[in-house]
Each structure stands twice: as C-alpha cells, then as structure tokens.
Amino acid sequence: MAKELVFGHQNPDTDAIVAAISYAYLQKQLGPDVEAVALGDPNEETAYVLKHFETEAPRVIKTAANEVKQVMLVDHNEPQQSVSDIADVEVSHVVDHHRINNFNTANPLFYRAEPVGCTSTILWEMYDEHEIAIPTKIAGLMLSAIISDTLLLKSPTTTEKDRQAVVALAKIAGVDYQSYGLDMLKAGTNLDSKTEAE
Amino acid sequence: MAKELVFGHQNPDTDAIVAAISYAYLQKQLGPDVEAVALGDPNEETAYVLKHFETEAPRVIKTAANEVKQVMLVDHNEPQQSVSDIADVEVSHVVDHHRINNFNTANPLFYRAEPVGCTSTILWEMYDEHEIAIPTKIAGLMLSAIISDTLLLKSPTTTEKDRQAVVALAKIAGVDYQSYGLDMLKAGTNLDSKTEAE
Ligand SMILES: [Mn+2]
Ligand SMILES: [Mn+2]
Ligand SMILES: [Mn+2]
Ligand SMILES: [Mn+2]
C-alpha cells in the first residue's frame, strides 16, 4: 500500500493536530503506511499540550500531491479548509464532527462522522471498536483535544460520549482532567507571550 | 425523540430495502423511534428475498416532510436519488457504500461510509460494534443484500469484509449461501413473469 498523509484543517487547533497524530497511530496498527502532518504550526495551547505529553509537532506541509496520491482528513471535510492542492489528491478516509459541505468524491471512501464535540471522541470510540490500546501519551493528547473543543465539557456541543471519552482517556493518561484542563486552557490564552500590538 | 423515517434510494434494489429494515431494527435497539420505509415497490429479486425470510415489504412513501422532520438514509446519499422532498427534511444519519456527491448538510450528523460491496456489510459490522444480536430473519435479508450487490461475491467491488459478513450472516440465517444465492439471483431474472413487450 502506498504511503498516505493524515492531516487536520488549516490554522490548526488542538483537535486538528492531535486527531492527525492519533488517527495515524491507529491506522499504522491496522496496516496502512501513513504519516501525521499539519497545515500549520501549533498554536500556544497545542504547543503546551505537545510539550506536556512529550510529543513532537507534526511536520508542516504546504501541498500534498508532490508526496502522495491519497490522503486522510481529520477534523474537517470542506476543501476550502484543507490543503491547497486537495483537488489533486484522492481523499481515502475522513474522520470528522462537522457538517458536510462541498465535499464530493469520485470514488467510494471511508467516512466517519458523528455529531459529537470533538474528532478525538470519535477516534477514542474507533480504538475501542478495533480493540487497539491507546498509548499513554496519545491518550493525553486526545484528552486535551476534547477539553479544547468542548471548553472542559461546557460548550453546547458537548455530548454524553465526550464526557465518557474524557473520563476514560484521563484514566489512561494518568491526569486529573479538571486541573490539567484549566492549566491547558489558560496556556492557550497566555497574555505574556502576546506582543504589544495584540 | 421525534420519530424518523429510514429509507434507501429510488428504484430500490435489495440492499436499499433490506438496509432500511436492518438499520431501523438496530436503531430501535439503541433508542430512536424509527420506521423503515421505501421509495418504491420491491423488484422481483427483493420480493423473493422478503418472501423467503417471511418479512413484509416496507410501506412506500412519496414524500417525507409531511410525516417527520428528520430522516436516515441508507445505500445512497445523493439528493437526486432520494425522496422527492429531501430538501425539506434534515438528514440525521447516513450509512452507505457509494461515493459522496452533492450531499451537503446545515448541521453535523452521523455519517458512516466504507468502500465495501454492500451497505449491509457495514451494518453487519455496526451490529457487532454495538453488541446487538442480529435476528435470524434480518440476517437472511442482510445476507441476500450482499449476495445481490456483489453477485455472490464475484463483482469487482467485493472486499474481504463482504466475504466475512456473508459467512457470518449465512450461519445466523441457517442457509447454504451458495445454493440460496443462485436461487435468489435466478428469481431476480425470472423471464416467466415478464410481459411480451419486455
Ligand atoms: Mn478544529
Ligand atoms: Mn474538532
Ligand atoms: Mn443500491
Ligand atoms: Mn448497495
């Protein structure tokens, strides 16, 4: 099987970066040769998360067709939110929690969407369906993405499944999700590192 | 939860009719109030299948918005293949094995697609994920849909997962899928019942 790239949307948030990492890990266990990449650098919140769970930021790409024929999308489906040359590659897999918009394919594909608060919640479910154990660091990353997307389970998009995922992932990662979550959200709004102009 | 209708495409084939019946059964076990309906009468093959597994043909609808606010689509996603007033209802769930085309939503939804030979193969997997037992008659219907869509596992769209589903479903239904499959496919091309003009 030819290599594929896995990535989230432009101007990546924590879910976009982390879902690429965790879906790439899951796919690798199932067989496919994949690499998690990103369409931009981590924001401050995501940088805090990656540092906390000792994970390197994914390589940033500007285009995909120069490297691969097929790609896997996480946390988005709309072409205008995706890699600049999305029209020149085939989308083989999508895992997302947004509405479907302007997403058309020439061939059948794997598409998994659920109306939950975070892509990482769906991925948590998929690890379970495939009976693949989630490594400690990846569980911490996925937990962080759900905390980020749901504002610590307080956003109106939060579902019962997001709550279950947070509890289960916090256990694997070995963190108190309430106190860690507050620190993490604070890091994302860190005024110290902003310039005067902001 | 308000009632929803579950249906396959216009000019229904066996998968379109049967996937509506089996997805409606699965959803009912999970909670939602749903009814399997169809956008047309069963063809000769499907009529043979329904008779063999002692199941009534789903009620035929012309429009959906007069009955429900939300619908679940199986075995299709393209609006032009769906109910005439699809634009007037919200699609809450899709289970399909076709390419995605002209399918846009205003809100997040549940969408499950896989590049396999038949929608009923994906549903077989979903029963397993939810640990819901498949009733004998529904297993027979799902087996028939896979035989129909894959021409007894011989079409180029056939995957390993379709093969596994056929073996598992034949066991639950208690039929020899080779001999039953040939009889079923023969029933679908029954020349006797065609008029002279055809
Ligand atoms: Mn996002
Ligand atoms: Mn997200
Ligand atoms: Mn069909
Ligand atoms: Mn089909």
Side-chain angles (χ1 to χ4, degrees):
Chain A
M1 245 177 309
K3 183 182 164 178
E4 298 189 37
L5 295 176
V6 187
F7 49 85
H9 51 80
Q10 293 169 18
N11 303 313
D13 52 15
T14 298
D15 193 29
I17 301 265
V18 155
I21 294 171
S22 70
Y23 194 37
Y25 179 86
L26 176 61
Q27 282 292 337
K28 271 183 234 165
Q29 309 314 303
L30 299 174
D33 178 19
V34 296
E35 181 191 353
V37 293
L39 303 188
D41 289 318
N43 63 26
E44 289 184 53
E45 179 193 271
T46 311
Y48 176 91
V49 167
L50 292 169
K51 195 177 170 198
H52 194 276
F53 293 104
E54 299 165 321
T55 303
E56 273 185 48
R59 178 168 68 90
V60 174
I61 61 161
K62 294 287 172 215
T63 55
N66 54 314
E67 296 189 50
V68 294
K69 288 203 160 47
Q70 292 191 310
V71 300
M72 302 186 183
L73 309 184
V74 290
D75 201 36
H76 75 297
N77 67 83
E78 304 193 31
Q80 58 273 33
Q81 299 172 358
S82 199
V83 73
S84 58
D85 63 344
I86 188 71
D88 301 328
V89 289
E90 182 172 20
V91 178
S92 71
H93 292 67
V94 178
V95 182
D96 190 22
H97 65 124
H98 298 94
R99 70 180 186 138
I100 298 179
N101 197 33
N102 292 321
F103 182 82
N104 298 296
T105 67
N107 298 306
L109 76 162
F110 181 97
Y111 200 109
R112 176 78 174 249
E114 292 186 35
V116 294
C118 184
T119 303
S120 295
T121 300
I122 305 170
L123 288 167
W124 165 72
E125 216 181 350
M126 290 171 70
Y127 270 86
D128 186 56
E129 287 164 7
H130 289 291
E131 295 174 0
I132 304 275
I134 306 175
T136 309
K137 286 177 189 175
I138 292 183
L141 299 176
M142 293 168 79
L143 170 69
S144 305
I146 304 173
I147 291 169
S148 170
D149 267 12
T150 65
L151 299 172
L152 242 175
L153 302 173
K154 284 185 179 58
S155 78
T157 56
T158 309
T159 67
E160 188 48 37
K161 215 178 264 182
D162 298 302
R163 275 177 234 286
Q164 291 168 0
V166 158
V167 171
L169 291 166
K171 203 172 162 188
I172 301 171
V175 300
D176 175 333
Y177 75 82
Q178 288 284 1
S179 65
Y180 166 73
L182 286 174
D183 289 347
M184 187 203 105
L185 292 174
K186 217 179 289 171
T189 54
N190 191 353
L191 295 176
D192 297 352
S193 66
K194 300 252 162 98
T195 63
E196 290 277 333
E198 288 174 298
Chain B
M1 244 176 309
K3 181 182 165 177
E4 298 190 37
L5 296 176
V6 186
F7 49 85
H9 52 80
Q10 292 169 18
N11 302 313
D13 52 15
T14 298
D15 193 28
I17 300 266
V18 155
I21 294 171
S22 70
Y23 194 37
Y25 179 86
L26 176 61
Q27 282 292 338
K28 271 183 233 164
Q29 309 314 303
L30 299 173
D33 179 19
V34 295
E35 180 190 354
V37 294
L39 304 187
D41 290 317
N43 63 27
E44 289 186 52
E45 180 194 272
T46 311
Y48 175 90
V49 167
L50 292 169
K51 195 176 169 198
H52 194 274
F53 292 104
E54 298 166 322
T55 304
E56 273 186 48
R59 177 168 69 91
V60 174
I61 62 161
K62 295 287 172 214
T63 56
N66 55 313
E67 295 190 50
V68 294
K69 287 201 160 47
Q70 292 191 310
V71 300
M72 303 186 183
L73 308 185
V74 290
D75 201 36
H76 75 296
N77 66 85
E78 304 194 28
Q80 59 274 31
Q81 299 171 358
S82 199
V83 73
S84 59
D85 63 345
I86 188 71
D88 301 328
V89 288
E90 181 172 20
V91 178
S92 71
H93 292 66
V94 178
V95 183
D96 190 22
H97 66 124
H98 297 94
R99 72 181 185 136
I100 298 178
N101 198 31
N102 291 321
F103 182 82
N104 299 296
T105 67
N107 297 307
L109 75 162
F110 181 97
Y111 199 108
R112 177 77 174 249
E114 292 187 36
V116 294
C118 183
T119 302
S120 295
T121 298
I122 305 169
L123 289 168
W124 166 72
E125 216 181 351
M126 291 172 69
Y127 271 85
D128 186 55
E129 288 164 7
H130 289 291
E131 295 174 1
I132 305 275
I134 307 175
T136 309
K137 286 177 188 176
I138 291 183
L141 299 176
M142 293 168 80
L143 169 69
S144 304
I146 305 174
I147 291 169
S148 170
D149 267 10
T150 65
L151 300 172
L152 240 174
L153 301 174
K154 285 185 179 59
S155 79
T157 56
T158 309
T159 67
E160 188 48 37
K161 214 177 264 183
D162 298 302
R163 274 176 235 286
Q164 291 168 0
V166 158
V167 171
L169 291 166
K171 205 174 161 186
I172 300 171
V175 299
D176 174 334
Y177 75 81
Q178 288 285 1
S179 65
Y180 167 73
L182 286 174
D183 288 348
M184 187 202 103
L185 292 173
K186 216 179 291 171
T189 53
N190 190 353
L191 295 177
D192 296 352
S193 66
K194 299 251 163 99
T195 62
E196 289 278 332
E198 290 175 297

